[in-house]
Amino acid sequence: MDLRYFINQCAEAKELKRVTTEVDWNLELSHVSKLTEEKKGPALLFESVKGYDTPVFTGAFATTKRLAIMLGLPHDLTLCQSAQQWMKKTITSEGLIKAKEVKDGPVLENVLTGDKVDLNMFPVPKFFPLDGGRYIGTMVSVVLKDPETGEVNLGTYRMQMLDDKRCGVQILPGKRGERIMKKYAKMGKKMPAAAIIGCDPLIFMAGTLMHKGASDYDITGTVRGQQAEFLMAPLTGLPVPAGAEIVLEGEIDPNNFLPEGPFAEYTGYYTDELHKPIPKPVLEVQQILHRNNPILWATGQGRPVTDVHMLLAFTRTATLWTELEQMRIPGVQSVCVLPESAGRFWTVVSLKQAYPGHSRQVADAVLGTNTGNYGMKGVITVDEDIQADDLQRVFWALSCRYDPMRGTELIKRGRSTPLDPALDPDSDKLMTSRILMDACIPYEWKQKPVEARMDEETLAKIRARWHEYGIGI
């Protein structure tokens, strides 16, 4: 599978709109996409970008239906249900389907070097007025190779186009990409890198999992049920998808950083970069690979919910649920890191209580996971009759089952993220408080509230005759 196959699947499912009206890469394209995402509209393929022949694809993951399409699952699954299927495929898979190296592929249809290397050839958007420039991608997989172990890492980074041959790369401190870069710095060498723009969307999901002895391509193929194909990029020798739309090959000098940003973050706010751009590593592009008539895949951010927030919510839901399964916490029915919380800050867990204190154990366990420990501000627990991503029912539980005095626990110190705009700007401590909200009916109550429920026999009859009523929903 490649990006074009995914786009065609979206079209067949009526989840794609081809925009033939000319749009400007400068703000107009991104604003049309943002308004469409906020209304849960279709993915967009802009076929006429001012000054360019290359189309731009946006909104890949903005609905649960498109997430399911990407995963090859039934289209009516909710975010929770899709995440559960992902977890089952990855945690219970006995054998990995190893990726296959090929010698040729569509990405090699055009190989540009020397003076032909010019990033201006692509309709790179500017997303928001205060952004520091044009961003060639916020969902770019950058391929790096550890010089000591030989292990390959696909990290997802934003990339600002600094000029016609250089991109700023947001490789954050402490992440694996930075650890690899420091090894090259110690060796006194530049770090080879290949940036993938437009590929099988599942590769981004695979990058969130740590599977011993497996590459992201192996995990992608295992979930797909067929071998993923990669080839060695001709300049850097790094593995890239054979069907990628665009690949930028070059080097990153670990001792040469340039100002990058600001950029409208997934929180819907800017960081301190707005006042003082922060120096970041720079990809010196030496070679461009691209398919004939390439498609530029663009993703904006800003306030939730965009396709990025859906992606973040899905991946963190899947990893958090997997960690809870591995901890053998009983009773967990569904998990959701809410896309409305920027896909990071709030989690809901549905559980079937089995003993007093069970719901508190689950909430504590969430914060004890790798996923829940970083940036999480709140955990809401609800009973098993409510699915974790059903916000309408979650708020019902908070209104009619939750008592603030009985059900609230405050935790003063927890690890936060530097992107959280709620942190004190005058403090350098990346710490946040946290809240646990127990919206479950207490297990130990002998007399529990009696819910007004519909008659199951009558419901079965109605569902069998639903088409006769002509209601059309």
Side-chain angles (χ1 to χ4, degrees):
M1 181 173 177
D2 57 17
L3 181 62
R4 298 183 187 200
Y5 181 76
F6 174 69
I7 290 173
N8 288 336
Q9 284 188 311
C10 289
E12 290 176 6
K14 298 186 176 4
E15 283 284 310
L16 178 77
K17 171 64 177 176
R18 298 178 184 273
V19 181
T20 57
T21 301
E22 184 180 83
V23 296
D24 198 323
W25 58 263
N26 186 13
L27 300 180
E28 184 181 7
L29 186 152
S30 65
H31 285 37
V32 171
S33 179
K34 184 74 172 68
L35 290 174
T36 303
E37 289 173 351
E38 289 185 348
K39 294 180 179 180
K40 301 295 183 185
L44 302 177
L45 186 64
F46 294 94
E47 297 182 328
S48 180
V49 182
K50 186 177 180 180
Y52 293 92
D53 295 326
T54 300
V56 178
F57 178 59
T58 68
F61 309 115
T63 65
T64 56
K65 186 175 181 179
R66 294 204 284 280
L67 276 174
I69 291 171
M70 183 270 300
L71 291 163
L73 296 172
H75 298 176
D76 60 345
L77 294 189
T78 66
L79 188 148
C80 278
Q81 291 168 334
S82 291
Q84 186 178 35
Q85 291 300 313
W86 169 271
M87 176 186 66
K88 287 179 178 178
K89 285 185 177 182
T90 55
I91 196 173
T92 62
S93 177
E94 295 181 359
L96 284 166
I97 299 177
K98 287 286 188 178
K100 178 175 67 174
E101 181 182 350
V102 296
K103 298 303 181 183
D104 197 7
V107 73
L108 295 180
E109 289 171 343
N110 299 273
V111 180
L112 308 179
T113 60
D115 292 339
K116 292 184 178 179
V117 173
D118 185 358
L119 298 176
N120 289 298
M121 67 184 294
F122 302 116
V124 178
K126 181 175 181 180
F127 290 95
F128 288 90
L130 298 182
D131 286 356
R134 301 168 71 177
Y135 279 82
I136 199 163
T138 58
M139 293 296 293
V140 179
S141 282
V142 179
V143 188
L144 307 173
K145 186 175 183 179
D146 191 309
E148 296 176 357
T149 67
E151 293 180 347
V152 172
N153 179 60
L154 271 69
T156 302
Y157 308 109
R158 79 183 194 209
M159 286 181 30
Q160 180 184 347
M161 193 173 80
L162 301 179
D163 54 38
D164 60 345
K165 289 182 172 59
R166 295 184 299 177
C167 292
V169 186
Q170 192 187 40
I171 300 178
L172 294 174
K175 299 295 185 179
R176 191 177 175 194
E178 193 213 28
R179 296 198 297 272
I180 293 174
M181 186 170 62
K182 284 183 176 179
K183 292 182 181 182
Y184 283 95
K186 190 175 180 181
M187 296 164 60
K189 295 183 178 180
K190 291 185 178 181
M191 177 172 65
I196 304 164
I197 304 166
C199 60
D200 182 345
L202 194 56
I203 288 176
F204 293 112
M205 306 297 186
T208 67
L209 294 179
M210 298 298 291
H211 198 303
K212 191 173 179 60
S215 72
D216 294 341
Y217 299 121
D218 295 338
I219 296 171
T220 298
T222 301
V223 174
R224 285 264 177 259
Q226 62 184 44
Q227 283 183 302
E229 293 184 347
F230 67 91
L231 55 80
M232 294 303 182
L235 179 67
T236 58
L238 294 168
V240 298
E245 294 293 325
I246 301 166
V247 172
L248 309 179
E249 287 192 90
E251 295 178 316
I252 294 175
D253 186 341
N255 297 308
N256 181 28
F257 288 18
L258 290 176
E260 186 269 355
F263 182 68
E265 298 290 352
Y266 67 87
T267 60
Y269 291 89
Y270 288 89
T271 63
D272 290 341
E273 292 174 332
L274 183 61
H275 309 291
K276 184 179 180 182
I278 299 173
K280 303 281 176 59
V282 176
L283 172 63
E284 301 164 1
V285 182
Q286 299 165 337
Q287 184 161 276
I288 297 176
L289 317 175
H290 71 81
R291 298 178 65 151
N292 291 335
N293 305 311
I295 299 171
L296 183 70
W297 183 3
T299 51
Q301 294 190 30
R303 69 187 185 193
V305 175
T306 67
D307 64 337
V308 170
H309 300 104
M310 292 297 294
L311 175 66
L312 293 174
F314 175 85
T315 55
R316 289 186 179 128
T317 294
T319 55
L320 175 58
W321 201 339
T322 299
E323 288 179 283
L324 293 175
E325 285 286 317
Q326 292 170 335
M327 293 167 71
R328 301 189 183 279
I329 303 295
V332 174
Q333 304 298 298
S334 60
V335 178
C336 186
V337 180
L338 299 173
E340 293 82 1
S341 74
R344 177 183 290 281
F345 298 105
W346 279 84
T347 292
V348 179
V349 181
S350 169
L351 74 147
K352 185 175 182 179
Q353 297 183 82
Y355 42 82
H358 191 176
S359 54
R360 175 60 191 268
Q361 178 195 9
V362 169
D364 287 337
V366 168
L367 297 182
T369 63
N370 286 324
T371 305
N373 178 257
Y374 182 58
M376 193 71 66
K377 293 184 181 182
V379 181
I380 301 171
T381 49
V382 295
D383 286 302
E384 77 273 15
D385 62 324
I386 298 174
Q387 184 154 290
D389 59 355
D390 187 347
L391 278 183
Q392 182 171 305
R393 295 288 183 260
V394 170
F395 273 90
W396 174 52
L398 285 171
S399 302
C400 300
R401 300 181 184 180
Y402 166 69
D403 176 81
M405 185 63 72
R406 180 189 69 236
T408 305
E409 293 287 347
L410 291 173
I411 299 170
K412 292 183 178 179
R413 289 170 57 81
R415 185 185 177 202
S416 188
T417 163
L419 299 182
D420 182 1
L423 295 180
D424 183 351
D426 296 324
S427 174
D428 59 357
K429 295 180 175 60
L430 299 179
M431 304 296 291
T432 183
S433 56
R434 290 170 170 161
I435 186 169
L436 307 180
M437 303 175 72
D438 186 355
C440 296
I441 298 171
Y443 177 84
E444 62 274 17
W445 280 7
K446 289 186 170 47
Q447 182 176 329
K448 294 181 171 61
V450 179
E451 182 184 336
R453 296 189 178 183
M454 289 185 280
D455 179 68
E456 291 299 327
E457 184 178 347
T458 302
L459 280 175
K461 291 179 181 178
I462 288 173
R463 290 186 179 114
R465 298 184 57 198
W466 189 255
H467 66 283
E468 298 178 30
Y469 302 126
I471 298 174
I473 57 173

